[in-house]
């Protein structure tokens, strides 16, 4: 009988990382590893790190150190770093953090089982050597699809040669059937799951290092996205969230920039799927046809995760982005003219090099009038390898901190006001959790997982319906708690 090998995946960062972890889980399960939930119960703890901003990097290092502590008093024998921080820094991270028994890059994912087995057996695996992944693919998007077959694209989870994968895969592992099937293992029982629409990014925002370690933009084939969504529906998933670094670019390397508009109705028609959500939209790339599909297709939620970042023209130009306050407000007005209750969220950077008081006031004007449901605010900090790190006219840290605190307070007030505007609305709510302490918690169409608040469901007249995770119910908003809504179930309305 083969020796029992256990592995735990600890995931930090965004939804894209969660998909990557489930691909790694699929590969490991296919090779006989037993997946366990807690690192303390695993022979190997694999930490999928985030390398986006300093706070995320610190969280990743803390997670690696915490996992390393388990080696002194638990089952854990090895701790391995994967993910964006490992890809971005590689050997530098390995030297700075000797507690990690391995630092693996994206190129190691296809052979992750052997890499972990070597480490577990006391051997060494050479730490990843970082490189600019934008240089791995042709500059022209339409030439990338064929070349991409030779490049590691985490989270695409595709097996091109099913004969190399065991036919008797463990229960819950996406089957390797068909010429290009997903290889993925779910790591939780949530009724919500993310699906990678693409990898990489072609934009050159001066503050962002992501393209250098995630590479150029590569779309997944529509059939791959559909097959994975069908499999997720079979696993009990009710909502899929499409993720990538830039969903509005989907299809440009497949010869059809409007491919998302035709894919969305097909995804919505998958048996068992009740809600399709699109995240990570670039305002400068929003098309009238895409807005129409997002606001009028049954089961595709009118949700707009728009990456504004700022609204003062001079700051946006320095960021190598486009737009201004009035154009952004016009975009939101167009969306709400088609779907008055549409959800909208965004993130903003304050204290960017050269940001004047007038620029900051312009950003205040925008978020005051935008009526966003969720707002993330970040203070600017230099990121290794970015253009902005070399800019002059850096603001003093106390100025950045003061603007961050001010805009964060304003954002909190404005999003709470926006939530209050929804009192009286009737929502379709996806139940996500039920427990004695928190009660029944779900999300409405305008709320994405983790980032946008939630709905606390209540019942009237002592009703005790079967509110279980994955059920869709109609509810009327009767109150708010900050950005969270309190809603009363309407059991006379249709539910499923």
């Amino acid at each position: 009988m083969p020796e029992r090998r256990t592995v735990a995946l600890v995931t930090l960062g965004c939804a894209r990382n969660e998909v990557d972890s489930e691909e790694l889980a699929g590969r490991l399960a296919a090779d006989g590893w037993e997946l366990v939930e807690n690192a303390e119960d695993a022979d190997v703890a694999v930490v999928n790190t985030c390398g986006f901003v300093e706070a995320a990097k610190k969280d990743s290092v803390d997670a690696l150190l915490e996992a390393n502590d388990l080696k002194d008093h638990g089952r854990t024998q090895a701790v391995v770093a994967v993910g964006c921080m490992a890809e971005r820094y590689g050997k530098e991270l390995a030297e700075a953090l000797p507690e990690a028994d391995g630092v693996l890059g994206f190129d190691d994912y296809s052979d992750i089982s052997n890499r972990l087995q070597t480490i577990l057996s006391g051997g060494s695996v050479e730490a990843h050597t970082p490189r600019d992944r934008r240089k791995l693919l042709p500059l022209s998007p339409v030439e990338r699809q064929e070349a991409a077959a030779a490049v590691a694209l985490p989270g695409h989870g595709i097996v091109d040669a099913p004969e190399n994968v065991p036919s008797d895969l463990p229960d819950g592992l996406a089957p390797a059937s068909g010429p290009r099937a997903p290889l993925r293992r779910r790591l939780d029982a949530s009724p919500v799951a993310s699906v990678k629409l693409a990898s990489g990014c072609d934009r050159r925002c001066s503050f962002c290092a992501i393209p250098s370690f995630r590479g150029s933009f590569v779309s997944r084939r529509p059939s791959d996205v559909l097959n994975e969504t069908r499999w997720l529906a079979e696993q009990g998933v009710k909502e899929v969230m499409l993720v990538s670094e830039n969903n509005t670019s989907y299809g440009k390397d497949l010869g059809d920039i409007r491919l998302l508009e035709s894919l969305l109705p097909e995804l919505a028609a998958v048996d068992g799927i009740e809600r399709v959500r699109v995240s990570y939209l670039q305002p400068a790339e929003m098309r009238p046809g895409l807005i129409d599909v997002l606001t009028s297709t049954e089961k595709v939620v009118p949700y707009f995760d728009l990456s504004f970042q700022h609204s003062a023209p001079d700051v946006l130009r320095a960021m190598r982005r486009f737009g201004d306050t009035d154009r952004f407000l016009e975009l939101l007005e167009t969306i709400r003219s088609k779907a008055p209750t549409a959800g909208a969220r965004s993130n903003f950077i304050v204290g960017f090099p050269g940001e004047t008081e007038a620029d900051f006031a312009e950003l205040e004007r925008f978020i005051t009038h935008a009526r966003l449901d969720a707002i993330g605010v970040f203070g600017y900090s230099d990121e290794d390898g970015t253009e902005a790190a070399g800019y002059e006219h850096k603001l003093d840290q106390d100025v950045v901190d003061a603007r961050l605190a001010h805009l964060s307070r304003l954002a909190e007030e404005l999003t709470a006001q926006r939530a209050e505007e929804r009192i009286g609305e009737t929502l379709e709510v996806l139940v996500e959790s039920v427990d004695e302490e928190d009660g029944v918690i779900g999300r409405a169409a305008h709320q994405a997982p983790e980032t946008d608040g939630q709905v606390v469901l209540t019942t009237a007249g002592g009703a005790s319906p079967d509110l279980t995770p994955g059920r869709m119910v109609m509810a009327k908003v009767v109150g708010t708690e900050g950005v969270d809504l309190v809603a009363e179930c309407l059991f006379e309305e249709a539910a499923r």
Side-chain angles (χ1 to χ4, degrees):
M1 187 174 186
E3 181 181 356
R4 180 172 180 251
R5 302 176 299 174
T6 57
V7 59
L9 285 144
V10 180
T11 307
L12 294 94
C14 64
R16 301 186 294 274
N17 257 16
E18 293 171 6
V19 177
D20 294 354
S21 285
E22 293 198 348
E23 180 198 335
L24 290 173
R27 292 183 180 278
L28 291 166
D31 202 43
W33 289 78
E34 180 181 339
L35 298 164
V36 296
E37 184 175 352
N38 299 313
E40 62 192 28
D41 300 323
D43 296 318
V44 183
V46 177
V47 180
N48 191 348
T49 61
C50 178
F52 183 39
V53 294
E54 284 303 319
K57 295 177 206 173
K58 182 180 183 303
D59 289 344
S60 295
V61 170
D62 289 346
L64 287 163
L65 292 174
E66 183 178 341
N68 182 69
D69 289 342
L70 297 174
K71 291 192 287 188
D72 295 331
H73 54 266
R75 178 188 178 98
T76 308
Q77 300 175 52
V79 175
V80 176
V82 299
C84 290
M85 190 175 181
E87 174 66 34
R88 186 176 180 184
Y89 295 105
K91 290 184 177 181
E92 181 182 343
L93 176 62
E95 293 170 359
L97 197 71
E99 291 86 353
D101 299 287
V103 176
L104 306 181
F106 298 153
D107 294 331
D108 294 305
Y109 283 20
S110 62
D111 199 29
I112 188 67
S113 178
N114 287 333
R115 298 287 193 274
L116 296 191
Q117 184 59 58
T118 297
I119 294 169
L120 183 60
S121 301
S124 62
V125 174
E126 185 176 358
H128 163 69
T129 300
R131 53 182 171 169
D132 188 338
R133 297 190 72 86
R134 290 172 293 191
K135 298 179 180 179
L136 301 181
L137 292 169
L139 185 62
S140 171
V142 296
E143 297 177 1
R144 289 180 192 158
Q145 283 292 318
E146 184 175 352
V151 176
L153 298 173
H156 283 218
I158 293 302
V159 177
D160 284 305
E163 65 273 11
N164 295 330
V165 177
S167 59
D168 55 341
L169 293 176
D171 290 342
L173 184 65
S177 60
R180 290 171 56 84
L183 186 60
R184 178 174 179 175
R185 175 68 174 264
R186 296 216 67 205
L187 293 173
D188 61 39
S190 170
V192 184
S194 296
V195 174
K196 272 271 185 86
L197 197 60
S199 287
C201 185
D202 287 341
R203 301 186 71 87
R204 294 295 180 263
C205 301
S206 62
F207 56 84
C208 183
I210 288 176
S212 66
F213 58 85
R214 276 289 183 180
S216 299
F217 186 89
V218 180
S219 302
R220 292 183 70 192
R221 299 180 188 181
S223 58
D224 295 341
V225 178
L226 278 165
N227 285 340
E228 189 165 343
T229 299
R230 293 185 184 110
W231 175 76
L232 288 168
E234 292 171 359
Q235 303 299 305
V237 169
K238 299 299 181 184
E239 175 180 328
V240 292
M241 184 168 73
L242 302 181
V243 299
S244 75
E245 280 73 20
N246 177 10
N247 282 333
T248 35
S249 282
Y250 180 68
K252 72 176 186 179
D253 52 323
L254 294 170
D256 185 0
I257 192 60
R258 294 177 176 80
L259 193 55
L260 184 55
E261 286 95 307
S262 57
L263 177 61
L264 285 171
E266 293 187 67
L267 292 171
V270 171
D271 287 344
I273 296 298
E274 299 291 345
R275 184 183 282 171
V276 178
R277 184 183 304 278
V278 183
S279 61
Y280 306 114
L281 301 169
Q282 286 291 340
E285 297 181 35
M286 289 300 296
R287 305 175 291 275
L290 180 56
I291 294 174
D292 287 343
V293 171
L294 288 170
T295 55
S296 65
T297 306
E298 184 179 3
K299 295 188 179 181
V300 175
V301 295
Y303 173 80
F304 294 82
D305 177 11
L306 295 160
S307 178
F308 289 122
Q309 301 300 344
H310 212 283
S311 72
D314 289 344
V315 175
L316 287 168
R317 301 303 178 272
M319 289 179 168
R320 295 202 178 277
R321 299 176 66 85
F322 306 95
D324 56 47
T325 296
D326 292 335
R327 273 190 276 184
F328 290 163
L329 290 175
E330 287 173 8
L331 172 59
L332 291 169
E333 183 179 351
T334 297
I335 290 168
R336 289 170 177 145
S337 70
K338 298 174 181 295
T341 60
R345 77 171 319 278
S346 193
N347 294 323
F348 301 92
I349 298 173
V350 299
F352 194 79
E355 181 190 63
T356 65
E357 290 186 7
D359 293 329
F360 185 66
E362 185 68 2
L363 177 56
E364 283 189 88
R365 181 171 81 88
F366 173 64
I367 70 166
T368 300
H369 292 89
R371 296 172 58 230
L372 298 172
D373 293 282
I375 299 172
V377 184
F378 302 90
Y380 172 81
S381 62
D382 288 338
E383 281 296 311
D384 298 334
T386 62
E387 181 182 352
Y391 281 1
E392 298 179 349
H393 309 298
K394 300 281 179 63
L395 276 64
D396 291 340
Q397 190 60 48
D398 58 348
V399 174
V400 176
D401 292 343
R403 291 182 181 179
L404 174 62
H406 176 81
L407 202 70
S408 295
R409 287 192 298 270
L410 179 60
E412 186 175 350
E413 294 172 4
L414 292 169
T415 51
Q417 291 175 17
R418 177 63 181 138
E420 290 175 358
E421 291 178 20
R422 293 190 180 274
I423 293 177
E425 282 187 22
T426 297
L427 309 173
E428 187 174 45
V429 179
L430 172 62
V431 178
E432 290 197 327
S433 65
V434 180
D435 60 53
E436 292 184 3
E437 182 176 348
D438 297 324
V440 182
I441 303 297
R443 284 181 302 102
H446 70 279
Q447 297 168 317
E450 306 295 335
T451 59
D452 297 347
Q454 60 190 17
V455 178
V456 180
L457 288 169
T458 65
T459 57
S464 55
D466 180 25
L467 292 179
T468 55
R471 186 179 179 189
M472 303 287 290
V473 298
M474 302 304 295
K476 182 177 181 179
V477 181
V478 296
T480 64
E481 298 175 356
V483 296
D484 296 335
L485 305 178
V486 179
E488 187 176 290
C489 294
L490 302 174
F491 298 107
E492 68 276 11
E493 301 285 346
R496 55 185 186 276

